[in-house]
Amino acid sequence: MCTRFATEIVHKRTSPSDTVSVTVEIIPDSNETQERKELLSSWRPLAFGPTLDKETMNSIFKQAESVIIEDHADVRPGRRPKYSRLSSSVLRITKRGPDEKNFAILYIPGLVRDVIDLERQEVLHMLDEIEDKESRIVGVINKCDTKQMQSHDWVFELIKNDDQSPRYLKEGWYGLRNRAPIEANNSDAERDAIEDAFFSGDEWNRLNKKRLGRHHLRSNLIKIRNRHVKQSIPILLSEIKAKLALCNNDISKLGPPCDTNFQQFTLINGIATKYSRMAENSLNGNYRGLN
């Protein structure tokens, strides 16, 4: 579903004993008035279950849009009324549960300004500002079926991902076919079958098939994630060892363990005896014995 505001979807893994929960909130744009910030921050959607199915997501988006978007007209002398189309506030949907994977994705609308001219794509100018973008970013063109004839060249060139291209990405560019509005109720299998049939057309044969379709994108994202996990393991192990050493040091300061009743009695009895001796020395003026 296309929106007029940014949407952040977050998955967080919790302990095995926790139940699945979903929270929905709006993060107000810093430029909003204080009144608007309070309104957006306090907003919550109507009650829904932990399952984020299509109907639930559509309902959340519509409810959020009714609050985030202010369709007031900007009327200036001699000009037609101009309505606010986009908002910089963010709708955040967070799902927590023991089976979730720690993952977040942010969808930002309104970045495609001209489907014909590649260099007028705002999203590409944003990429230019990201350090080491070639190895940190995966490019996705998600409406390959709606491209205009004049946009064929740059769509194909991006997916081809020539290493001499100024838009080259180490992790590659991928082409997807989104569901059409009339396909909203199609199953995932039906959606995938339509996408496979679309990319089997002659015009796509000159591209690497592993760069086309949802399954290939998903497979590559899993590989990228696994690679990052492997790269992070040595650092993670070092952090675990350092924290374990601190924990063991704190435990050692507590003295020997007292697992049995006798050990616990001995400890308390020793403390009581020491306290009694200190009190007796204080009463007798024997301050050396207080050490």
Side-chain angles (χ1 to χ4, degrees):
M1 179 177 180
C2 293
T3 62
R4 298 158 66 186
F5 46 85
T7 303
E8 182 181 17
I9 298 179
V10 182
H11 294 264
K12 290 186 177 182
R13 179 177 293 177
T14 60
S15 61
S17 59
D18 290 339
T19 58
V20 177
S21 64
V22 177
T23 57
V24 181
E25 59 187 333
I26 295 174
I27 311 302
D29 176 28
S30 59
N31 293 323
E32 294 280 9
T33 64
Q34 185 60 34
E35 182 181 1
R36 284 279 298 165
K37 287 181 180 178
E38 293 176 358
L39 172 66
L40 295 174
S41 298
S42 62
W43 174 86
R44 293 295 182 271
L46 298 177
F48 57 90
T51 302
L52 294 175
D53 54 24
K54 296 175 185 176
E55 292 183 1
T56 301
M57 293 295 288
N58 283 335
S59 175
I60 291 173
F61 284 135
K62 289 178 180 178
Q63 292 179 62
E65 184 174 40
S66 67
V67 178
I68 295 176
I69 301 299
E70 287 186 307
D71 282 327
H72 55 271
D74 178 14
V75 181
R76 301 182 186 180
R79 296 186 180 183
R80 293 181 179 179
K82 182 179 180 181
Y83 291 89
S84 174
R85 295 181 60 250
L86 300 173
S87 171
S88 296
S89 295
V90 180
L91 172 66
R92 178 182 293 166
I93 303 174
T94 305
K95 186 176 183 180
R96 298 176 176 85
D99 296 326
E100 297 298 320
K101 294 179 173 60
N102 292 320
F103 182 76
I105 187 170
L106 180 64
Y107 166 71
I108 305 176
L111 297 181
V112 178
R113 302 300 187 191
D114 190 324
V115 297
I116 298 176
D117 187 354
L118 174 64
E119 294 307 317
R120 293 189 63 187
Q121 308 302 326
E122 184 175 342
V123 65
L124 296 181
H125 295 296
M126 293 176 65
L127 294 183
D128 291 336
E129 300 175 1
I130 299 178
E131 184 179 355
D132 193 25
K133 64 179 182 299
E134 293 83 1
S135 59
R136 294 178 57 195
I137 296 173
V138 177
V140 180
I141 303 172
N142 63 358
K143 292 187 177 181
C144 289
D145 55 318
T146 61
K147 66 186 186 323
Q148 298 182 13
M149 291 300 296
Q150 297 94 328
S151 69
H152 274 39
D153 290 343
W154 69 259
V155 170
F156 290 150
E157 287 302 314
L158 286 179
I159 298 176
K160 190 182 296 181
N161 199 37
D162 189 291
D163 58 7
Q164 300 301 316
S165 169
R167 299 303 176 188
Y168 169 78
L169 296 177
K170 181 180 178 181
E171 302 298 346
W173 286 86
Y174 290 80
L176 304 181
R177 181 196 180 278
N178 285 0
R179 282 185 173 94
I182 61 174
E183 301 166 358
N185 295 323
N186 285 8
S187 66
D188 289 343
E190 291 172 329
R191 179 246 173 241
D192 293 342
I194 294 174
E195 183 180 64
D196 291 341
F198 173 76
F199 284 125
S200 65
D202 293 339
E203 63 178 344
W204 301 98
N205 286 337
R206 57 190 172 115
L207 298 177
N208 185 347
K209 292 297 184 181
K210 292 184 178 180
R211 299 295 181 182
L212 301 174
R214 179 177 73 93
H215 289 299
H216 291 125
L217 173 61
R218 182 176 184 273
S219 176
N220 192 52
L221 289 176
I222 291 174
K223 291 178 181 178
I224 294 173
R225 181 200 64 189
N226 292 344
R227 186 169 66 247
H228 281 292
V229 169
K230 289 180 180 178
Q231 292 173 348
S232 302
I233 285 178
I235 299 175
L236 182 62
L237 289 176
S238 298
E239 292 180 357
I240 291 175
K241 290 179 180 178
K243 291 182 178 180
L244 181 61
L246 290 174
C247 183
N248 288 333
N249 183 55
D250 291 339
I251 292 175
S252 66
K253 294 178 181 179
L254 298 176
C258 298
D259 298 327
T260 65
N261 290 338
F262 178 76
Q263 290 174 328
Q264 294 169 9
F265 171 78
T266 302
L267 175 65
I268 297 300
N269 185 61
I271 294 173
T273 301
K274 183 178 180 181
Y275 175 79
S276 177
R277 187 180 302 114
M278 291 175 62
E280 182 179 355
N281 288 334
S282 298
L283 292 173
N284 295 333
N286 183 11
Y287 299 108
R288 292 182 180 180
L290 295 177
N291 295 332

